[in-house]
Amino acid sequence: MRRTGGRSARVEDVHDLALGMPHVRVYAGTQNRPIYQVGGKSFVFFRNPRPDAFDPDTGQRYDDVIVFWVPSEGDKLAMVQDESSPFFTTPHFDGHLSVLVRASRLGEISYDELAEVVQEAWLSRASARRRATWLGEHLPD
């Protein structure tokens, strides 16, 4: 799935990239799993083990799931239907504009791609004014 160059993504990158976006607050969620928010809206969070995300061979709940908001259902489908992608969803997230990825699989994408996913997550949850300001500062003229 690596569509851009650069090194492989790491869990630390999720934290650094999310905190690098403007107006972000991080909260210690349950079990001290971080929740990154902009304007009181989550855009990235580290999920607790839940019954809907589990190893099909052992039945063990995944304990390393990260949730990213996405701009649209089309974006979500593109990410989860690509067989080479580590992103997935579960029935629990039907109708929810987000994708999941296991931290243990982040290395399957590049840092650049992760940066894009985090930025899109932030943009999908930020206010119109914050979005416009950020885009004005980061898009080429």
Side-chain angles (χ1 to χ4, degrees), residues 1-17:
M1 174 174 190
R2 187 168 290 142
R3 293 187 291 254
T4 56
R7 68 169 174 77
S8 296
R10 301 183 296 236
V11 174
E12 307 83 58
D13 298 329
V14 176
H15 300 290
D16 293 343
L17 289 163

Side-chain angles (χ1 to χ4, degrees), residues 14-15 21 28 31 36 43 45 70 90 97 99 116-117:
V14 176
H15 300 290
M21 298 304 292
Q31 299 180 11
Y36 294 92
F43 68 99
F45 73 89
V70 295
T90 69
L97 294 179
V99 295
E116 183 179 326
V117 169

Side-chain angles (χ1 to χ4, degrees), residues 2-113:
R2 187 168 290 142
R3 293 187 291 254
T4 56
R7 68 169 174 77
S8 296
R10 301 183 296 236
V11 174
E12 307 83 58
D13 298 329
V14 176
H15 300 290
D16 293 343
L17 289 163
L19 283 172
M21 298 304 292
H23 309 286
V24 169
R25 290 187 181 221
V26 62
Y27 296 94
T30 56
Q31 299 180 11
N32 262 348
R33 294 175 186 256
I35 301 167
Y36 294 92
Q37 294 185 341
V38 57
K41 296 179 181 180
S42 301
F43 68 99
V44 173
F45 73 89
F46 287 71
R47 190 172 187 234
N48 296 329
R50 300 284 308 256
D52 64 311
F54 60 91
D55 183 302
D57 296 326
T58 66
Q60 283 288 104
R61 293 178 182 183
Y62 294 144
D63 66 353
D64 65 342
V65 174
I66 307 167
V67 180
F68 298 91
W69 265 253
V70 295
S72 71
E73 186 69 20
D75 291 301
K76 176 179 180 169
L77 291 175
M79 293 172 80
V80 300
Q81 291 178 344
D82 179 350
E83 291 185 21
S84 67
S85 168
F87 295 99
F88 68 100
T89 191
T90 69
H92 178 77
F93 286 89
D94 285 351
H96 193 268
L97 294 179
S98 60
V99 295
L100 296 80
V101 68
R102 294 191 64 200
S104 60
R105 294 192 63 193
L106 275 177
E108 296 176 31
I109 62 173
S110 70
Y111 173 88
D112 294 340
E113 184 172 13

